[in-house]
Amino acid sequence: MSEELIPETPEQETEENEAAEPIKQRKNGLYPGVSDELAENMKSGWADTELHDLAPIPQAEHTAARRAALSARFPGERLVIPAGNLKTRSNDTEYAFRASTEYAYLTGDQTQDGVLVLESTGEQGHQATIYLLPRSNRENGEFWLDGQGELWVGRRHSLTEAEQLLGIPAKDVRELAAALAEATGPVRCVRGHDASIEAALTDKVTAERDEELRVYLSEARLVKDAFEISELEKACDATARGFEDVVKSLDKAEATSERFIEGTFFLRARIEGNDIGYGSICAAGPHATTLHWVRNDGAVRPGELLLLDAGVETNDLYTADVTRTLPINGTFSPLQRKIYDAVYEAQEAGIAAVKPGAAFRDFHDASQRVLAEKLVEWGLLGDLTVEKVLELGLQRRWTLHGTGHMLGMDVHDCAVARTEAYVDGILEPGVCLTVEPGLYFQADDLTVPEEYRGIGVRIEDDILVTEDGNRNLSDKLPRRADEVEAWMARLKG
Ligand code: GLY
Ligand code: MN
Ligand code: MN
Protein backbone atom coordinates (compact mmCIF):
# COMPACT_ATOMS: atom_id res chain seq x y z
CA MET A 1 0.00 0.00 0.00
CA SER A 2 1.43 3.36 -0.85
CA GLU A 3 0.03 6.81 -1.18
CA GLU A 4 1.80 9.99 -2.14
CA LEU A 5 0.62 11.87 0.93
CA ILE A 6 2.31 9.38 3.21
CA PRO A 7 5.52 10.62 4.70
CA GLU A 8 8.49 8.79 6.03
CA THR A 9 8.08 8.13 9.72
CA PRO A 10 9.00 11.40 11.44
CA GLU A 11 11.90 11.29 13.84
CA GLN A 12 10.85 10.75 17.40
CA GLU A 13 10.28 14.03 19.21
CA THR A 14 11.02 14.48 22.82
CA GLU A 15 10.41 18.20 23.29
CA GLU A 16 6.82 19.08 23.99
CA ASN A 17 6.90 22.16 21.76
CA GLU A 18 8.21 20.07 18.88
CA ALA A 19 5.56 17.41 19.41
CA ALA A 20 2.90 20.09 19.03
CA GLU A 21 4.42 21.49 15.85
CA PRO A 22 2.41 20.68 12.74
CA ILE A 23 4.01 17.66 11.08
CA LYS A 24 3.53 18.98 7.58
CA GLN A 25 5.53 22.11 8.36
CA ARG A 26 8.12 20.27 10.38
CA LYS A 27 9.00 17.96 7.54
CA ASN A 28 9.09 20.88 5.13
CA GLY A 29 8.04 19.77 1.68
CA LEU A 30 7.55 16.08 2.44
CA TYR A 31 3.79 16.30 2.24
CA PRO A 32 2.92 17.56 -1.18
CA GLY A 33 -0.77 17.86 -1.63
CA VAL A 34 -1.64 18.74 1.96
CA SER A 35 -3.13 22.16 1.66
CA ASP A 36 -3.60 24.33 4.72
CA GLU A 37 -7.34 23.84 4.25
CA LEU A 38 -7.03 20.05 4.24
CA ALA A 39 -4.72 20.11 7.27
CA GLU A 40 -7.24 22.29 9.10
CA ASN A 41 -10.15 20.15 7.96
CA MET A 42 -8.57 16.94 9.30
CA LYS A 43 -8.19 18.40 12.79
CA SER A 44 -11.83 18.37 13.73
CA GLY A 45 -15.11 16.56 13.31
CA TRP A 46 -13.99 13.46 15.20
CA ALA A 47 -15.99 11.89 18.00
CA ASP A 48 -14.61 11.50 21.50
CA THR A 49 -14.02 7.73 21.78
CA GLU A 50 -12.38 7.65 25.20
CA LEU A 51 -13.46 4.55 27.10
CA HIS A 52 -14.31 4.82 30.78
CA ASP A 53 -14.43 2.49 33.79
CA LEU A 54 -12.59 -0.32 32.06
CA ALA A 55 -12.25 -3.60 33.96
CA PRO A 56 -8.68 -4.79 34.50
CA ILE A 57 -7.37 -7.53 32.21
CA PRO A 58 -7.88 -11.04 33.65
CA GLN A 59 -4.24 -11.48 34.60
CA ALA A 60 -3.80 -8.07 36.28
CA GLU A 61 -3.59 -9.60 39.78
CA HIS A 62 -1.00 -12.07 38.59
CA THR A 63 1.16 -9.47 36.85
CA ALA A 64 1.04 -7.38 40.05
CA ALA A 65 2.26 -10.38 42.07
CA ARG A 66 5.05 -10.99 39.54
CA ARG A 67 6.14 -7.34 39.79
CA ALA A 68 6.08 -7.54 43.59
CA ALA A 69 8.39 -10.57 43.51
CA LEU A 70 10.72 -8.75 41.11
CA SER A 71 10.71 -5.69 43.36
CA ALA A 72 11.68 -7.79 46.38
CA ARG A 73 14.60 -9.32 44.49
CA PHE A 74 16.16 -5.97 43.47
CA PRO A 75 15.50 -3.48 46.29
CA GLY A 76 16.64 0.09 45.77
CA GLU A 77 17.27 -0.28 42.04
CA ARG A 78 15.55 1.10 38.96
CA LEU A 79 14.45 -1.74 36.68
CA VAL A 80 13.74 -1.21 32.98
CA ILE A 81 11.92 -3.86 30.94
CA PRO A 82 11.21 -2.97 27.28
CA ALA A 83 8.63 -4.62 25.01
CA GLY A 84 10.80 -4.15 21.93
CA ASN A 85 10.31 -2.43 18.61
CA LEU A 86 9.10 -3.33 15.16
CA LYS A 87 11.70 -5.05 13.00
CA THR A 88 11.99 -4.18 9.33
CA ARG A 89 11.12 -6.98 6.94
CA SER A 90 11.95 -5.00 3.84
CA ASN A 91 11.89 -1.32 3.00
CA ASP A 92 8.84 0.07 4.81
CA THR A 93 7.20 -3.18 5.87
CA GLU A 94 7.76 -4.85 9.20
CA TYR A 95 7.52 -8.31 10.71
CA ALA A 96 4.50 -8.93 12.91
CA PHE A 97 5.31 -7.58 16.34
CA ARG A 98 5.65 -9.94 19.28
CA ALA A 99 6.30 -8.26 22.63
CA SER A 100 9.26 -9.43 24.67
CA THR A 101 8.38 -12.26 27.00
CA GLU A 102 9.72 -10.40 30.05
CA TYR A 103 7.56 -7.32 29.38
CA ALA A 104 4.39 -9.28 28.64
CA TYR A 105 4.94 -11.47 31.70
CA LEU A 106 5.20 -8.45 34.01
CA THR A 107 2.48 -6.27 32.49
CA GLY A 108 0.04 -8.36 30.43
CA ASP A 109 0.58 -5.72 27.73
CA GLN A 110 1.94 -6.39 24.23
CA THR A 111 2.33 -2.93 22.76
CA GLN A 112 5.35 -2.22 20.59
CA ASP A 113 7.78 0.32 22.06
CA GLY A 114 6.23 -0.06 25.52
CA VAL A 115 8.58 -0.02 28.50
CA LEU A 116 7.92 -1.04 32.09
CA VAL A 117 9.95 0.86 34.67
CA LEU A 118 10.10 -0.05 38.34
CA GLU A 119 11.27 2.99 40.26
CA SER A 120 12.67 2.38 43.74
CA THR A 121 10.67 3.98 46.54
CA GLY A 122 13.15 2.98 49.23
CA GLU A 123 11.63 0.95 52.05
CA GLN A 124 8.30 0.58 50.26
CA GLY A 125 9.76 -1.27 47.31
CA HIS A 126 9.04 0.07 43.85
CA GLN A 127 6.54 2.16 41.94
CA ALA A 128 5.76 0.64 38.55
CA THR A 129 5.07 2.86 35.53
CA ILE A 130 4.28 1.69 32.05
CA TYR A 131 5.53 3.92 29.25
CA LEU A 132 3.45 3.76 26.07
CA LEU A 133 2.78 5.72 22.93
CA PRO A 134 -0.39 7.68 23.67
CA ARG A 135 -3.22 8.25 21.21
CA SER A 136 -2.23 10.17 18.11
CA ASN A 137 -2.24 13.93 18.12
CA ARG A 138 -4.97 15.26 15.82
CA GLU A 139 -3.89 18.89 16.10
CA ASN A 140 -0.56 18.41 14.33
CA GLY A 141 -1.79 15.83 11.81
CA GLU A 142 0.20 12.98 13.39
CA PHE A 143 -2.83 10.70 13.41
CA TRP A 144 -3.10 10.61 9.63
CA LEU A 145 0.31 11.74 8.36
CA ASP A 146 2.62 9.67 10.56
CA GLY A 147 3.32 6.05 9.58
CA GLN A 148 2.48 5.07 13.17
CA GLY A 149 -0.55 7.37 13.26
CA GLU A 150 -3.75 5.71 14.39
CA LEU A 151 -5.45 6.22 11.06
CA TRP A 152 -2.83 3.90 9.55
CA VAL A 153 -2.18 1.33 12.25
CA GLY A 154 -5.34 1.47 14.33
CA ARG A 155 -6.53 3.05 17.52
CA ARG A 156 -4.32 2.72 20.57
CA HIS A 157 -5.45 2.86 24.17
CA SER A 158 -5.21 6.26 25.76
CA LEU A 159 -2.83 6.33 28.68
CA THR A 160 -5.83 6.52 31.03
CA GLU A 161 -7.42 3.48 29.41
CA ALA A 162 -4.14 1.56 29.62
CA GLU A 163 -3.84 2.39 33.32
CA GLN A 164 -7.27 0.94 34.01
CA LEU A 165 -6.70 -2.19 31.94
CA LEU A 166 -3.22 -3.01 33.22
CA GLY A 167 -3.46 -1.61 36.75
CA ILE A 168 -0.23 0.32 36.21
CA PRO A 169 0.16 4.12 35.95
CA ALA A 170 0.96 5.02 32.34
CA LYS A 171 3.09 7.80 30.85
CA ASP A 172 4.18 8.90 27.38
CA VAL A 173 7.08 6.72 26.22
CA ARG A 174 8.48 9.59 24.15
CA GLU A 175 9.61 11.16 27.42
CA LEU A 176 11.33 8.09 28.75
CA ALA A 177 14.74 7.95 27.04
CA ALA A 178 15.60 11.51 28.07
CA ALA A 179 14.40 10.88 31.62
CA LEU A 180 16.47 7.70 31.90
CA ALA A 181 19.54 9.44 30.52
CA GLU A 182 19.29 12.05 33.30
CA ALA A 183 18.36 9.70 36.13
CA THR A 184 20.86 8.73 38.80
CA GLY A 185 21.14 5.66 41.01
CA PRO A 186 21.52 1.95 40.30
CA VAL A 187 19.66 0.68 37.27
CA ARG A 188 19.25 -2.59 35.38
CA CYS A 189 17.73 -3.18 31.97
CA VAL A 190 16.60 -6.28 30.08
CA ARG A 191 18.78 -6.11 26.99
CA GLY A 192 18.14 -7.11 23.43
CA HIS A 193 14.74 -5.58 22.88
CA ASP A 194 15.01 -1.78 22.55
CA ALA A 195 18.21 -0.15 21.29
CA SER A 196 17.08 3.41 22.06
CA ILE A 197 16.42 2.59 25.71
CA GLU A 198 19.75 0.78 25.97
CA ALA A 199 21.51 3.78 24.41
CA ALA A 200 19.97 6.07 27.04
CA LEU A 201 21.33 3.81 29.78
CA THR A 202 24.65 2.97 28.21
CA ASP A 203 26.93 4.50 30.84
CA LYS A 204 24.73 3.45 33.78
CA VAL A 205 24.40 -0.30 33.35
CA THR A 206 26.74 -3.27 33.15
CA ALA A 207 26.25 -6.43 31.14
CA GLU A 208 26.74 -8.56 34.23
CA ARG A 209 24.08 -6.81 36.33
CA ASP A 210 21.64 -6.72 33.42
CA GLU A 211 22.15 -10.44 32.93
CA GLU A 212 21.21 -11.05 36.58
CA LEU A 213 17.86 -9.38 35.89
CA ARG A 214 17.31 -11.49 32.78
CA VAL A 215 18.22 -14.67 34.64
CA TYR A 216 15.84 -13.76 37.47
CA LEU A 217 12.98 -13.24 35.02
CA SER A 218 13.75 -16.59 33.37
CA GLU A 219 13.75 -18.45 36.69
CA ALA A 220 10.64 -16.62 37.93
CA ARG A 221 8.73 -18.33 35.11
CA LEU A 222 9.78 -21.88 36.08
CA VAL A 223 6.67 -22.33 38.24
CA LYS A 224 3.47 -21.30 36.52
CA ASP A 225 0.65 -19.49 38.32
CA ALA A 226 -3.05 -20.32 37.83
CA PHE A 227 -3.46 -17.90 34.93
CA GLU A 228 -0.46 -19.35 33.13
CA ILE A 229 -1.69 -22.92 33.58
CA SER A 230 -5.09 -22.02 32.13
CA GLU A 231 -3.33 -20.40 29.16
CA LEU A 232 -1.23 -23.52 28.57
CA GLU A 233 -4.39 -25.63 28.68
CA LYS A 234 -5.96 -23.30 26.13
CA ALA A 235 -2.89 -23.53 23.90
CA CYS A 236 -2.89 -27.34 24.06
CA ASP A 237 -6.62 -27.58 23.32
CA ALA A 238 -6.34 -25.29 20.30
CA THR A 239 -3.29 -27.22 19.14
CA ALA A 240 -5.25 -30.48 19.31
CA ARG A 241 -7.88 -28.93 17.04
CA GLY A 242 -5.11 -27.80 14.68
CA PHE A 243 -3.82 -31.38 14.45
CA GLU A 244 -7.36 -32.57 13.70
CA ASP A 245 -7.58 -29.98 10.92
CA VAL A 246 -4.37 -31.37 9.44
CA VAL A 247 -5.58 -34.98 9.48
CA LYS A 248 -8.83 -33.94 7.82
CA SER A 249 -6.93 -32.25 5.01
CA LEU A 250 -4.15 -34.80 4.41
CA ASP A 251 -5.53 -35.58 0.96
CA LYS A 252 -5.01 -31.94 0.01
CA ALA A 253 -1.45 -32.09 1.34
CA GLU A 254 -0.85 -35.21 -0.76
CA ALA A 255 -2.00 -33.26 -3.78
CA THR A 256 0.28 -30.30 -2.97
CA SER A 257 3.04 -30.46 -0.35
CA GLU A 258 3.93 -30.11 3.31
CA ARG A 259 3.06 -26.43 2.89
CA PHE A 260 -0.63 -27.36 2.97
CA ILE A 261 -0.11 -28.81 6.43
CA GLU A 262 1.78 -25.74 7.59
CA GLY A 263 -0.96 -23.44 6.29
CA THR A 264 -3.75 -25.55 7.75
CA PHE A 265 -2.25 -25.49 11.22
CA PHE A 266 -1.45 -21.78 10.93
CA LEU A 267 -5.07 -21.02 10.16
CA ARG A 268 -6.11 -22.65 13.44
CA ALA A 269 -3.37 -20.76 15.30
CA ARG A 270 -4.59 -17.42 13.95
CA ILE A 271 -8.25 -18.19 14.55
CA GLU A 272 -7.86 -19.37 18.14
CA GLY A 273 -4.68 -17.64 19.21
CA ASN A 274 -2.11 -15.01 18.43
CA ASP A 275 0.17 -17.09 16.22
CA ILE A 276 2.12 -20.30 16.10
CA GLY A 277 4.55 -20.45 19.03
CA TYR A 278 7.44 -21.49 16.76
CA GLY A 279 7.93 -22.48 13.14
CA SER A 280 5.78 -25.54 12.48
CA ILE A 281 7.75 -28.67 11.61
CA CYS A 282 5.70 -30.44 8.93
CA ALA A 283 8.04 -33.25 8.04
CA ALA A 284 6.82 -36.00 5.73
CA GLY A 285 8.83 -39.11 4.88
CA PRO A 286 12.59 -38.76 5.38
CA HIS A 287 12.22 -35.09 6.37
CA ALA A 288 11.09 -36.42 9.76
CA THR A 289 14.75 -37.21 10.49
CA THR A 290 15.68 -33.52 10.24
CA LEU A 291 14.96 -32.22 13.72
CA HIS A 292 13.90 -28.70 12.81
CA TRP A 293 12.52 -29.23 9.32
CA VAL A 294 10.68 -25.94 8.74
CA ARG A 295 11.15 -25.57 5.00
CA ASN A 296 8.00 -27.66 4.65
CA ASP A 297 8.24 -27.84 0.89
CA GLY A 298 8.35 -31.59 0.39
CA ALA A 299 5.96 -34.17 -0.96
CA VAL A 300 3.41 -35.90 1.28
CA ARG A 301 3.20 -39.54 0.20
CA PRO A 302 0.87 -42.29 1.35
CA GLY A 303 2.79 -45.11 3.01
CA GLU A 304 5.21 -42.68 4.70
CA LEU A 305 5.02 -41.00 8.09
CA LEU A 306 4.25 -37.37 8.82
CA LEU A 307 6.03 -35.90 11.83
CA LEU A 308 4.07 -32.80 12.79
CA ASP A 309 5.55 -30.64 15.57
CA ALA A 310 3.43 -27.54 16.08
CA GLY A 311 1.92 -25.36 18.76
CA VAL A 312 -0.68 -22.62 18.99
CA GLU A 313 0.37 -19.51 20.91
CA THR A 314 -2.55 -17.99 22.81
CA ASN A 315 -3.48 -14.35 22.61
CA ASP A 316 -1.65 -13.87 25.93
CA LEU A 317 1.46 -15.51 24.43
CA TYR A 318 1.58 -18.97 25.98
CA THR A 319 2.46 -21.75 23.57
CA ALA A 320 1.90 -25.47 23.29
CA ASP A 321 4.64 -27.67 21.81
CA VAL A 322 3.21 -30.95 20.56
CA THR A 323 4.43 -33.62 18.17
CA ARG A 324 2.56 -36.50 16.65
CA THR A 325 3.96 -38.89 14.08
CA LEU A 326 1.16 -40.08 11.85
CA PRO A 327 0.90 -42.67 9.08
CA ILE A 328 -0.15 -40.57 6.10
CA ASN A 329 -2.45 -43.29 4.77
CA GLY A 330 -3.91 -43.90 8.24
CA THR A 331 -2.17 -47.23 9.02
CA PHE A 332 1.34 -47.88 10.33
CA SER A 333 3.40 -50.46 8.46
CA PRO A 334 4.83 -53.17 10.75
CA LEU A 335 8.28 -51.52 10.87
CA GLN A 336 6.86 -48.02 11.34
CA ARG A 337 4.75 -49.40 14.17
CA LYS A 338 7.68 -51.17 15.81
CA ILE A 339 9.67 -47.93 15.89
CA TYR A 340 6.61 -45.91 16.92
CA ASP A 341 5.83 -48.29 19.78
CA ALA A 342 9.41 -48.02 21.04
CA VAL A 343 9.17 -44.23 21.14
CA TYR A 344 5.75 -44.48 22.80
CA GLU A 345 7.17 -46.76 25.48
CA ALA A 346 10.05 -44.35 26.02
CA GLN A 347 7.62 -41.46 26.35
CA GLU A 348 5.50 -43.39 28.85
CA ALA A 349 8.61 -44.04 30.95
CA GLY A 350 9.56 -40.38 30.69
CA ILE A 351 6.12 -39.07 31.66
CA ALA A 352 6.02 -41.45 34.65
CA ALA A 353 9.25 -39.84 35.90
CA VAL A 354 7.73 -36.34 35.97
CA LYS A 355 6.60 -35.66 39.54
CA PRO A 356 7.34 -33.29 42.40
CA GLY A 357 10.68 -34.02 44.03
CA ALA A 358 12.09 -35.78 40.96
CA ALA A 359 15.19 -34.38 39.33
CA PHE A 360 14.62 -32.57 36.02
CA ARG A 361 17.04 -35.04 34.41
CA ASP A 362 15.07 -38.11 35.50
CA PHE A 363 12.56 -38.17 32.65
CA HIS A 364 15.32 -37.83 30.08
CA ASP A 365 17.23 -40.71 31.63
CA ALA A 366 14.10 -42.89 31.81
CA SER A 367 13.27 -42.33 28.14
CA GLN A 368 16.83 -42.82 26.96
CA ARG A 369 17.07 -46.13 28.78
CA VAL A 370 14.01 -47.49 26.99
CA LEU A 371 15.30 -46.34 23.62
CA ALA A 372 18.72 -47.86 24.27
CA GLU A 373 17.06 -51.16 25.22
CA LYS A 374 15.12 -51.18 21.94
CA LEU A 375 18.16 -50.35 19.84
CA VAL A 376 20.13 -53.16 21.49
CA GLU A 377 17.18 -55.56 21.08
CA TRP A 378 17.01 -54.73 17.36
CA GLY A 379 20.70 -55.57 16.96
CA LEU A 380 21.77 -52.07 15.94
CA LEU A 381 24.50 -51.84 18.57
CA GLY A 382 26.33 -55.13 18.11
CA ASP A 383 27.03 -57.03 21.31
CA LEU A 384 27.03 -54.04 23.62
CA THR A 385 24.93 -54.16 26.78
CA VAL A 386 22.35 -51.49 27.48
CA GLU A 387 24.49 -50.23 30.36
CA LYS A 388 27.53 -49.87 28.11
CA VAL A 389 25.48 -48.12 25.42
CA LEU A 390 24.15 -45.63 27.96
CA GLU A 391 27.58 -45.12 29.47
CA LEU A 392 29.04 -44.30 26.06
CA GLY A 393 25.90 -42.48 24.90
CA LEU A 394 25.87 -44.48 21.66
CA GLN A 395 22.05 -44.49 21.44
CA ARG A 396 22.31 -40.80 20.69
CA ARG A 397 23.23 -41.51 17.07
CA TRP A 398 19.48 -42.13 16.70
CA THR A 399 17.89 -40.26 19.66
CA LEU A 400 19.78 -37.05 18.86
CA HIS A 401 18.25 -34.55 21.30
CA GLY A 402 17.34 -34.00 24.93
CA THR A 403 13.99 -35.48 25.91
CA GLY A 404 12.33 -32.22 26.86
CA HIS A 405 12.43 -28.66 28.07
CA MET A 406 10.46 -26.11 30.03
CA LEU A 407 7.41 -24.68 28.27
CA GLY A 408 5.52 -21.44 28.73
CA MET A 409 5.59 -18.08 26.96
CA ASP A 410 8.68 -19.21 25.10
CA VAL A 411 8.64 -22.63 23.52
CA HIS A 412 12.03 -23.24 25.11
CA ASP A 413 11.00 -21.41 28.23
CA CYS A 414 13.21 -20.22 31.08
CA ALA A 415 16.17 -20.62 28.72
CA VAL A 416 18.63 -18.52 30.72
CA ALA A 417 17.79 -20.01 34.11
CA ARG A 418 20.88 -21.14 35.99
CA THR A 419 21.84 -24.80 35.66
CA GLU A 420 21.13 -25.43 39.35
CA ALA A 421 17.60 -24.04 38.96
CA TYR A 422 16.74 -25.86 35.73
CA VAL A 423 18.84 -28.68 34.28
CA ASP A 424 20.17 -29.74 37.69
CA GLY A 425 16.98 -28.66 39.47
CA ILE A 426 14.17 -30.51 41.20
CA LEU A 427 10.63 -30.53 39.81
CA GLU A 428 7.86 -28.89 41.80
CA PRO A 429 4.13 -28.37 41.26
CA GLY A 430 3.45 -25.74 38.60
CA VAL A 431 6.44 -26.61 36.42
CA CYS A 432 5.41 -27.37 32.84
CA LEU A 433 7.71 -29.26 30.49
CA THR A 434 7.70 -31.30 27.31
CA VAL A 435 8.45 -35.01 27.15
CA GLU A 436 9.48 -35.72 23.57
CA PRO A 437 11.65 -38.77 22.90
CA GLY A 438 12.36 -39.68 19.31
CA LEU A 439 14.18 -42.10 17.05
CA TYR A 440 15.61 -40.87 13.78
CA PHE A 441 17.20 -43.07 11.13
CA GLN A 442 18.78 -40.82 8.54
CA ALA A 443 18.25 -41.71 4.89
CA ASP A 444 22.02 -42.08 4.43
CA ASP A 445 22.75 -44.03 7.62
CA LEU A 446 24.60 -47.13 6.49
CA THR A 447 24.74 -48.59 10.02
CA VAL A 448 21.07 -49.57 10.03
CA PRO A 449 19.17 -51.96 7.75
CA GLU A 450 17.95 -50.27 4.61
CA GLU A 451 14.29 -50.45 5.57
CA TYR A 452 14.90 -48.27 8.67
CA ARG A 453 16.45 -45.47 6.63
CA GLY A 454 14.37 -42.33 6.30
CA ILE A 455 12.08 -43.13 9.23
CA GLY A 456 11.78 -40.55 12.01
CA VAL A 457 9.39 -40.72 14.94
CA ARG A 458 8.87 -38.24 17.78
CA ILE A 459 5.99 -38.07 20.23
CA GLU A 460 5.80 -34.89 22.29
CA ASP A 461 3.41 -33.89 25.04
CA ASP A 462 3.15 -30.98 27.45
CA ILE A 463 3.25 -32.18 31.03
CA LEU A 464 2.33 -30.14 34.10
CA VAL A 465 3.81 -31.18 37.43
CA THR A 466 1.00 -31.44 40.00
CA GLU A 467 0.99 -31.96 43.79
CA ASP A 468 0.87 -35.71 43.41
CA GLY A 469 2.38 -36.44 39.99
CA ASN A 470 1.61 -34.86 36.67
CA ARG A 471 -1.11 -34.00 34.18
CA ASN A 472 -0.74 -34.30 30.43
CA LEU A 473 -2.14 -31.03 29.05
CA SER A 474 -2.03 -32.31 25.46
CA ASP A 475 -3.83 -35.59 26.07
CA LYS A 476 -6.73 -34.63 23.82
CA LEU A 477 -4.55 -36.05 21.06
CA PRO A 478 -4.14 -39.86 21.01
CA ARG A 479 -0.66 -41.33 21.41
CA ARG A 480 -0.93 -45.11 21.29
CA ALA A 481 -0.54 -46.49 17.76
CA ASP A 482 -3.95 -48.15 17.62
CA GLU A 483 -5.63 -45.05 19.06
CA VAL A 484 -3.86 -42.87 16.50
CA GLU A 485 -5.13 -45.08 13.68
CA ALA A 486 -8.70 -45.10 15.02
CA TRP A 487 -8.65 -41.31 15.49
CA MET A 488 -7.35 -40.78 11.95
CA ALA A 489 -9.96 -43.13 10.49
CA ARG A 490 -12.71 -41.20 12.28
CA LEU A 491 -11.44 -37.81 11.09
CA LYS A 492 -10.73 -38.87 7.53
CA GLY A 493 -14.27 -40.29 7.39
N1 GLY B 1 9.38 -27.65 18.59
C1 GLY B 1 10.70 -27.62 19.07
C2 GLY B 1 10.86 -28.54 20.17
O1 GLY B 1 10.14 -29.51 20.25
O2 GLY B 1 11.65 -28.34 21.05
MN1 MN C 1 8.19 -29.59 19.48
MN1 MN D 1 9.75 -29.35 22.38
Side-chain angles (χ1 to χ4, degrees):
M1 179 168 44
S2 80
E3 148 68 76
E4 66 164 7
L5 288 180
I6 303 317
E8 295 168 358
T9 304
E11 296 117 28
Q12 199 163 339
E13 300 294 352
T14 50
E15 301 288 330
E16 267 180 36
N17 58 348
E18 280 179 334
E21 190 183 342
I23 284 184
K24 85 181 192 73
Q25 285 172 23
R26 193 158 32 120
K27 298 296 284 191
N28 197 19
L30 271 178
Y31 312 111
V34 181
S35 65
D36 288 348
E37 288 73 14
L38 176 58
E40 198 56 33
N41 176 284
M42 288 297 280
K43 287 181 185 174
S44 59
W46 311 105
D48 177 2
T49 60
E50 180 74 9
L51 301 168
H52 301 279
D53 303 323
L54 294 174
I57 57 172
Q59 62 169 319
E61 276 180 31
H62 294 286
T63 58
R66 297 169 199 160
R67 292 192 300 275
L70 172 63
S71 166
R73 168 64 182 79
F74 296 102
E77 304 188 34
R78 177 179 292 109
L79 306 172
V80 181
I81 301 102
N85 319 120
L86 286 174
K87 290 183 178 51
T88 300
R89 183 173 188 276
S90 76
N91 187 23
D92 58 353
T93 57
E94 289 95 16
Y95 289 104
F97 179 72
R98 201 275 195 183
S100 76
T101 291
E102 295 93 341
Y103 173 86
Y105 173 75
L106 291 167
T107 64
D109 184 54
Q110 298 179 35
T111 311
Q112 70 206 43
D113 305 327
V115 184
L116 173 71
V117 178
L118 265 59
E119 209 61 67
S120 170
T121 52
E123 295 291 299
Q124 289 76 44
H126 289 81
Q127 169 66 53
T129 304
I130 192 159
Y131 288 84
L132 298 167
L133 198 57
R135 302 224 34 220
S136 293
N137 188 322
R138 290 183 192 272
E139 267 303 301
N140 69 3
E142 178 190 27
F143 87 105
W144 70 291
L145 292 171
D146 184 323
Q148 290 304 313
E150 288 180 304
L151 189 140
W152 283 94
V153 298
R155 187 190 190 283
R156 290 186 278 273
H157 289 301
S158 71
L159 297 182
T160 312
E161 290 167 354
E163 282 183 5
Q164 294 171 41
L165 289 166
L166 304 173
I168 310 172
K171 288 188 180 165
D172 188 337
V173 70
R174 291 172 298 187
E175 297 160 8
L176 180 61
L180 287 176
E182 280 173 21
T184 55
V187 54
R188 298 182 197 243
C189 173
V190 177
R191 296 189 180 198
H193 302 314
D194 191 324
S196 66
I197 295 296
E198 286 175 35
L201 292 170
T202 189
D203 53 356
K204 301 172 195 294
V205 291
T206 67
E208 193 185 0
R209 283 164 43 79
D210 285 355
E211 187 61 10
E212 283 172 4
L213 173 60
R214 200 164 76 101
V215 168
Y216 167 83
L217 287 170
S218 200
E219 293 181 5
R221 306 199 316 273
L222 281 165
V223 174
K224 271 62 183 176
D225 62 34
F227 177 85
E228 297 183 287
I229 292 169
S230 73
E231 284 295 305
L232 287 164
E233 288 168 343
K234 224 190 280 179
C236 287
D237 289 353
T239 296
R241 287 186 282 275
F243 275 65
E244 287 175 2
D245 297 339
V246 167
V247 171
K248 285 183 198 159
S249 64
L250 273 177
D251 55 339
K252 298 198 182 71
E254 283 175 35
T256 53
S257 78
E258 295 163 339
R259 288 282 162 93
F260 204 96
I261 295 166
E262 179 184 332
T264 301
F265 189 83
F266 183 65
L267 179 62
R268 178 63 64 174
R270 286 295 285 167
I271 289 170
E272 291 206 35
N274 175 59
D275 203 341
I276 46 175
Y278 54 93
S280 299
I281 298 165
C282 307
H287 290 158
T289 65
T290 301
L291 295 180
H292 283 175
W293 176 260
V294 291
R295 285 184 226 159
N296 300 338
D297 58 358
V300 177
R301 301 182 198 91
E304 295 187 330
L305 296 174
L306 167 68
L307 185 156
L308 175 59
D309 181 345
V312 172
E313 177 188 68
T314 63
N315 288 321
D316 281 307
L317 307 186
Y318 287 80
T319 189
D321 180 11
V322 176
T323 305
R324 289 293 181 268
T325 305
L326 309 171
I328 290 163
N329 64 8
T331 310
F332 291 101
S333 73
L335 179 62
Q336 288 169 349
R337 192 175 181 124
K338 177 175 98 163
I339 296 169
Y340 186 93
D341 285 347
V343 174
Y344 172 77
E345 213 178 295
Q347 199 202 22
E348 284 283 274
I351 293 173
V354 175
K355 53 190 166 198
F360 173 81
R361 290 182 191 272
D362 287 354
F363 75 93
H364 172 73
D365 293 344
S367 286
Q368 291 290 302
R369 175 168 288 277
V370 172
L371 295 174
E373 285 168 0
K374 298 293 175 186
L375 293 163
V376 168
E377 185 186 315
W378 298 341
L380 301 185
L381 285 156
D383 296 333
L384 292 176
T385 62
V386 170
E387 294 311 323
K388 196 66 188 170
V389 167
L390 288 169
E391 181 192 324
L392 300 176
L394 293 175
Q395 81 285 0
R396 291 175 57 185
R397 181 179 177 98
W398 301 291
T399 68
L400 293 181
H401 55 79
T403 307
H405 52 83
M406 297 297 177
L407 182 72
M409 299 184 81
D410 295 342
V411 62
H412 297 155
D413 210 33
C414 313
V416 296
R418 290 165 304 158
T419 305
E420 59 264 40
Y422 183 165
V423 180
D424 288 341
I426 300 295
L427 301 182
E428 56 182 301
V431 165
C432 186
L433 49 78
T434 68
V435 178
E436 50 175 310
L439 281 175
Y440 311 90
F441 300 102
Q442 304 300 318
D444 59 352
D445 187 345
L446 302 180
T447 71
V448 297
E450 200 170 344
E451 64 269 24
Y452 283 61
R453 296 177 201 161
I455 295 181
V457 173
R458 177 163 67 252
I459 313 173
E460 175 172 26
D461 282 81
D462 301 341
I463 310 296
L464 176 70
V465 181
T466 58
E467 294 294 335
D468 55 0
N470 69 60
R471 183 154 62 88
N472 184 344
L473 302 183
S474 45
D475 68 355
K476 291 211 167 63
L477 288 170
R479 291 186 295 126
R480 259 190 23 216
D482 53 353
E483 289 173 356
V484 168
E485 289 179 348
W487 170 75
M488 290 184 74
R490 205 174 63 245
L491 291 172
K492 282 167 149 233

